Amino acid sequence: MRLLSVFFLLSISQTVSSQNQQTNNKIFTVEKDKSYPKISLDDLEKETFYIPLETSKEVLLDVGAHVYYVSDKEILISNWKRGDVYIFDWNGKIVSRFNQKGGMGYLFINYLAYDEQKQEVFILDRAKKNILVYSKAGVLKRTLKYPANLYLGNIYNFDDEALLVYHQHQYDDLSQRQPYLFISKTDGQIISKANFFIDKVNPTSVATDKIIFSTKTSIGNCKFGNEYFLASICSDTISVLNHNQKVSKLFVQSPGVLADSRLVTKVKLKTDDFIVLSVYPYNVKGSYRDQLNGKQHPRSVEETKLLFDFKEQKFYECTDFKHSAYNVDIPSNMSVRLINAYRLKKWLDDGDLEGELKEIAKKIDMNDNPVIQITRFK
């Protein structure tokens, strides 16, 4: 564990400078309709950790569980609908848990940020236009009333004073040309805005006089170490924000997000050597028209995973991609996923497991909590 902690510190301190050296501040084009050579992340050097999570009457995760935070000491997992917040150590043992849903607490956990140093959990509750700040043990410390004209999609722990938040445009209303804002951890008011501008809207909802039609979309922003990757579905560019609030453009998308193909891009994984992007179709207005015409909207969409090698300055298409680090505050060079116990048991019965994961699958019960897989790319 000490070696792992050293690695975390080194990777965080070196990420920004190494990326700048690799790209020389060039802006690269993501040609979304182009074919690229194939590559598998299974061929890359990496180290994998499997952590079976403690299971008890008080600690039960279901399919709505999501990993929001990973450090060298703690792992925070939450369930947006049930309102559970769990903090585990790297042995899978529960460190802290709470659920303050209902009453004076939150209605839903729309997003969550964690300041491990101050041991504060920030819970976004869009219904109440609040960010509730809890202690690690679940004691409400204060409530942040952010401006009513913001519709927040993501919140991130930025520094001692501020959260970085993302305003998600619901409708065809360019209400925030600068959708990334810094708000106070004390009172929720806007401190400043990131130097990232949009001039068009790719909405998440369609409103008529009778209904509001919405489709789910994956917000493309991610945080790796001290780098925040800004991939708004309203923008043709993908940028990186560093801890000094400097915004640098990394990629421009071609065709643009509002072109006929309606392909958008999100960030899936970042290491010192490469970044993985996911390209997928998104068009809420088109989906609404399809519904009016009786066409069923697919439950899932096909994603193309593209790997950009910083040293070679080349794109590849990823095959058999299973190393995502999405919507999570995680160090660079790492991915995380939850593997449900029932799935492990099926893989075991099918003879698809080997090594450490096979031994874990033999010991767990079908109804146990998931196993966390954390992969560190070398």
Side-chain angles (χ1 to χ4, degrees):
M1 190 64 70
R2 177 176 293 180
L3 290 176
L4 186 61
S5 300
V6 172
F7 166 78
F8 269 71
L9 293 173
L10 289 174
S11 64
I12 290 173
S13 63
Q14 293 173 354
T15 300
V16 175
S17 60
S18 63
Q19 180 178 290
N20 286 339
Q21 291 170 3
Q22 289 162 336
T23 61
N24 293 321
N25 295 321
K26 285 182 63 177
I27 301 174
F28 302 93
T29 300
V30 185
E31 297 182 64
K32 295 182 284 190
D33 52 4
K34 180 179 178 179
S35 295
Y36 294 99
K38 302 290 194 299
I39 192 172
S40 173
L41 294 189
D42 290 339
D43 299 332
L44 302 180
E45 189 176 1
K46 54 190 176 294
E47 184 177 11
T48 301
F49 305 87
Y50 296 108
I51 306 172
L53 296 177
E54 173 185 339
T55 304
S56 69
K57 292 181 181 179
E58 295 77 24
V59 184
L60 288 174
L61 281 67
D62 62 12
V63 292
H66 180 80
V67 180
Y68 278 100
Y69 178 85
V70 177
S71 73
D72 62 330
K73 295 180 180 178
E74 296 183 333
I75 301 164
L76 189 150
I77 302 175
S78 179
N79 182 300
W80 74 274
K81 192 172 184 179
R82 285 174 38 178
D84 300 317
V85 177
Y86 299 111
I87 299 177
F88 296 90
D89 63 20
W90 270 67
N91 294 313
K93 301 301 181 183
I94 194 72
V95 174
S96 178
R97 63 179 177 85
F98 66 86
N99 186 322
Q100 301 292 358
K101 182 177 178 179
M104 298 300 292
Y106 41 84
L107 294 180
F108 297 105
I109 298 177
N110 296 115
Y111 208 87
L112 187 152
Y114 181 43
D115 184 337
E116 183 176 351
Q117 184 176 0
K118 293 185 177 179
Q119 298 190 353
E120 290 186 335
V121 179
F122 296 81
I123 293 179
L124 170 64
D125 185 350
R126 278 200 297 259
K128 294 185 175 182
K129 290 285 184 180
N130 286 341
I131 297 174
L132 296 98
V133 187
Y134 290 91
S135 71
K136 190 175 180 176
V139 176
L140 181 62
K141 300 180 70 174
R142 59 191 179 278
T143 299
L144 311 183
K145 269 287 186 185
Y146 60 85
N149 64 333
L150 296 181
Y151 185 84
L152 299 187
N154 296 134
I155 62 173
Y156 297 101
N157 180 43
F158 188 77
D159 59 24
D160 290 341
E161 307 296 331
L163 296 172
L164 172 68
V165 303
Y166 170 65
H167 170 79
Q168 183 174 312
H169 289 79
Q170 281 186 284
Y171 310 110
D172 264 330
D173 173 24
L174 191 56
S175 55
Q176 290 286 339
R177 290 200 63 231
Q178 292 174 268
Y180 298 96
L181 308 95
F182 301 98
I183 67 170
S184 168
K185 284 184 173 180
T186 302
D187 58 15
Q189 296 306 297
I190 296 173
I191 299 174
S192 61
K193 299 182 180 182
N195 188 29
F196 183 103
F197 293 83
I198 60 173
D199 54 15
K200 54 198 171 189
V201 172
N202 193 6
T204 60
S205 303
V206 173
T208 71
D209 56 351
K210 295 181 179 180
I211 66 165
I212 295 178
F213 176 84
S214 300
T215 60
K216 287 186 177 181
T217 180
S218 299
I219 300 172
N221 312 308
C222 277
K223 180 185 178 186
F224 297 94
N226 283 339
E227 293 181 306
Y228 302 77
F229 290 86
L230 315 182
S232 168
I233 61 172
C234 299
S235 176
D236 294 334
T237 63
I238 298 172
S239 300
V240 60
L241 169 74
N242 67 20
H243 64 285
N244 292 321
Q245 299 190 16
K246 179 183 178 182
V247 176
S248 302
K249 291 182 180 179
L250 288 181
F251 302 104
V252 60
Q253 303 177 60
S254 177
V257 295
L258 295 182
D260 291 341
S261 60
R262 303 297 291 223
L263 294 174
V264 298
T265 304
K266 61 184 176 184
V267 179
K268 298 284 283 188
L269 177 64
K270 163 67 172 58
T271 75
D272 293 339
D273 297 324
F274 62 85
I275 187 170
V276 177
L277 308 174
S278 175
V279 178
Y280 64 100
Y282 177 75
N283 184 358
V284 67
K285 293 181 180 178
S287 298
Y288 177 60
R289 287 194 298 268
D290 288 344
Q291 186 184 72
L292 292 178
N293 294 328
K295 184 177 179 181
Q296 189 172 3
H297 186 68
R299 290 188 176 183
S300 60
V301 295
E302 184 176 347
E303 297 184 25
T304 301
K305 313 296 191 309
L306 300 180
L307 181 148
F308 181 77
D309 187 300
F310 288 122
K311 184 176 181 180
E312 296 181 6
Q313 299 188 1
K314 291 173 57 177
F315 279 102
Y316 297 88
E317 182 178 346
C318 290
T319 60
D320 191 27
F321 182 80
K322 52 182 181 291
H323 297 286
S324 181
Y326 178 66
N327 274 354
V328 57
D329 183 344
I330 193 170
S332 188
N333 300 301
M334 302 195 84
S335 69
V336 61
R337 69 167 175 164
L338 291 173
I339 309 176
N340 291 319
Y342 71 84
R343 193 179 300 276
L344 279 177
K345 285 297 188 183
K346 183 179 186 306
W347 291 346
L348 180 65
D349 293 341
D350 294 342
D352 294 333
L353 297 180
E354 59 184 17
E356 182 184 1
L357 194 55
K358 181 177 181 179
E359 295 306 311
I360 291 174
K362 288 179 180 179
K363 297 176 183 178
I364 64 173
D365 184 78
M366 182 79 73
N367 297 316
D368 279 351
N369 278 330
V371 173
I372 293 184
Q373 175 184 325
I374 296 178
T375 303
R376 172 170 63 88
F377 291 87
K378 299 181 179 179

